[in-house]
Amino acid sequence: NANHPSFELFYFFFFFFTTMSTTIPRLYTARICPFAQRPRIVAALKNIQLEEEEIDLTNKSASFLEVNPQGKVPALKIRPDSDTMVESLVVAEYLDEVSEGPSLMGADPEERAYTRQWIAWFGDNYIPTFYQFMRAQEAAEQAEKREKLEAALEVFEAQARKKAGEGPFLTGSTVGMLDVATVPFFERIAVLTHYRHWVLPARFEFLHRWLKAMDSTPYAKTKATDEYLVEKYVSYAKTVSPK
């Protein structure tokens, strides 16, 4: 029958697209890692279904290293035959782009540029100091890193107030990628509280309100307990940082 080829083509595309649409991306992650938490937050906020595989960063499996020779988390496998996607912000932005709803990056190029600029600032100014403070063993060095961390927070809070007004989020009234990228590191202040007796000072009133607002969003489902973080970060807190 001359119509058979068209039916065969129809069924080919039907099964192809059915299979494609039901493939659930696999996210390789580690609860200890704040970077790996970023895509998990996007998935929670935008109701994206992922198959999560927890990776032991101290003993990476051969199967994980086969799909991701870099051994980094997060890593995303969209389909079994797709290239492995790495880097937390790359994965987070991808998930944001392919999901429904307003973009977490912002509605226009200016907003997206602002988001990228302040994520980069945070990565250059807060994150390194956070870990240096955590790993500082001598009292004088701890005091120095504490001052540097609080100085970075002064800039961050002032900019958030300028940009967001009353917020409650870092870029306005709705959660954005800047919130996603930075909140995991505030969550881990619990480690500094335990090992360095430091809490987020009350004068950072906007940041305190922001963290409370974040806890009322689906982000809260991705959080680890303070006890878990304190236990897992003991090696960071008690080991001198390499020079």
Side-chain angles (χ1 to χ4, degrees), residues 6-7 35 37 97 103 108-109 123 133-134 136 149 184 187 192 197 229 234:
S6 62
F7 277 111
F35 297 97
Q37 191 175 356
E97 286 185 13
S103 170
D108 57 54
F133 184 19
M134 188 186 300
L149 188 68
E187 183 180 323
L192 293 180
H197 310 294
L229 293 173
V234 62

Side-chain angles (χ1 to χ4, degrees), residues 29 42 75 116 126 171 173 228 243:
T29 187
V42 174
R116 292 189 180 100
Y126 180 91
T171 50
S173 60
Y228 174 89
K243 299 298 183 184

Side-chain angles (χ1 to χ4, degrees), residues 103-119 159 162-163 171 178:
S103 170
L104 294 170
M105 289 297 297
D108 57 54
E110 185 177 350
E111 289 296 312
R112 293 191 286 274
Y114 178 91
T115 295
R116 292 189 180 100
Q117 176 180 327
W118 281 94
I119 290 174
Q159 183 61 35
K162 178 181 176 183
K163 175 66 176 176
T171 50
L178 183 57

Side-chain angles (χ1 to χ4, degrees), residues 44 48 51 73 85 87 100 104 134 143 157 169 184 198 233:
I48 301 168
E51 286 187 5
V73 292
M85 189 182 301
E87 300 298 340
E100 296 180 356
L104 294 170
M134 188 186 300
E157 162 123 345
F169 303 105
W198 183 82
Y233 274 86

Side-chain angles (χ1 to χ4, degrees), residues 24-77:
I24 300 173
R26 178 177 291 271
L27 180 68
Y28 299 90
T29 187
R31 290 186 67 81
I32 188 178
C33 177
F35 297 97
Q37 191 175 356
R38 288 167 164 174
R40 292 175 54 236
I41 296 172
V42 174
L45 291 171
K46 305 199 81 173
N47 199 28
I48 301 168
Q49 187 177 5
L50 298 173
E51 286 187 5
E52 291 187 16
E53 182 171 328
E54 180 74 9
I55 301 301
D56 181 352
L57 299 180
T58 64
N59 185 25
K60 298 169 187 174
S61 67
S63 60
F64 171 59
L65 293 174
E66 183 178 350
V67 299
N68 182 20
Q70 297 181 57
K72 298 172 68 173
V73 292
L76 183 69
K77 197 82 168 169

Side-chain angles (χ1 to χ4, degrees), residues 15-227:
F15 286 113
F16 175 77
F17 285 112
T18 300
T19 303
M20 289 289 287
S21 64
T22 56
T23 299
I24 300 173
R26 178 177 291 271
L27 180 68
Y28 299 90
T29 187
R31 290 186 67 81
I32 188 178
C33 177
F35 297 97
Q37 191 175 356
R38 288 167 164 174
R40 292 175 54 236
I41 296 172
V42 174
L45 291 171
K46 305 199 81 173
N47 199 28
I48 301 168
Q49 187 177 5
L50 298 173
E51 286 187 5
E52 291 187 16
E53 182 171 328
E54 180 74 9
I55 301 301
D56 181 352
L57 299 180
T58 64
N59 185 25
K60 298 169 187 174
S61 67
S63 60
F64 171 59
L65 293 174
E66 183 178 350
V67 299
N68 182 20
Q70 297 181 57
K72 298 172 68 173
V73 292
L76 183 69
K77 197 82 168 169
I78 303 167
R79 300 176 306 279
D81 63 342
S82 68
D83 289 337
T84 303
M85 189 182 301
V86 295
E87 300 298 340
S88 65
L89 293 172
V90 172
V91 176
E93 285 193 40
Y94 169 80
L95 293 174
D96 180 39
E97 286 185 13
V98 299
S99 61
E100 296 180 356
S103 170
L104 294 170
M105 289 297 297
D108 57 54
E110 185 177 350
E111 289 296 312
R112 293 191 286 274
Y114 178 91
T115 295
R116 292 189 180 100
Q117 176 180 327
W118 281 94
I119 290 174
W121 182 94
F122 191 84
D124 290 341
N125 293 274
Y126 180 91
I127 294 175
T129 308
F130 175 87
Y131 283 106
Q132 289 163 8
F133 184 19
M134 188 186 300
R135 302 190 75 163
Q137 302 300 306
E138 301 298 327
E141 186 183 6
Q142 289 176 10
E144 175 196 343
K145 299 305 180 185
R146 181 177 63 248
E147 283 187 22
K148 188 176 178 182
L149 188 68
E150 291 184 13
L153 287 169
E154 296 278 4
V155 175
F156 196 63
E157 162 123 345
Q159 183 61 35
R161 286 182 181 276
K162 178 181 176 183
K163 175 66 176 176
E166 292 302 308
F169 303 105
L170 295 177
T171 50
S173 60
T174 57
V175 180
M177 193 64 77
L178 183 57
D179 303 287
V180 170
T182 57
V183 74
F185 297 91
F186 285 85
E187 183 180 323
R188 283 154 180 78
I189 286 176
V191 179
L192 293 180
T193 301
H194 183 84
Y195 292 109
R196 299 292 175 259
H197 310 294
W198 183 82
V199 297
L200 181 64
R203 71 179 184 275
F204 296 111
E205 187 267 342
F206 184 99
L207 294 177
H208 277 285
R209 284 194 294 110
W210 166 61
L211 291 170
K212 187 175 181 179
M214 287 299 295
D215 281 344
S216 69
T217 73
Y219 147 72
K221 296 186 293 187
T222 74
K223 292 179 70 174
T225 64
D226 290 353
E227 292 77 15

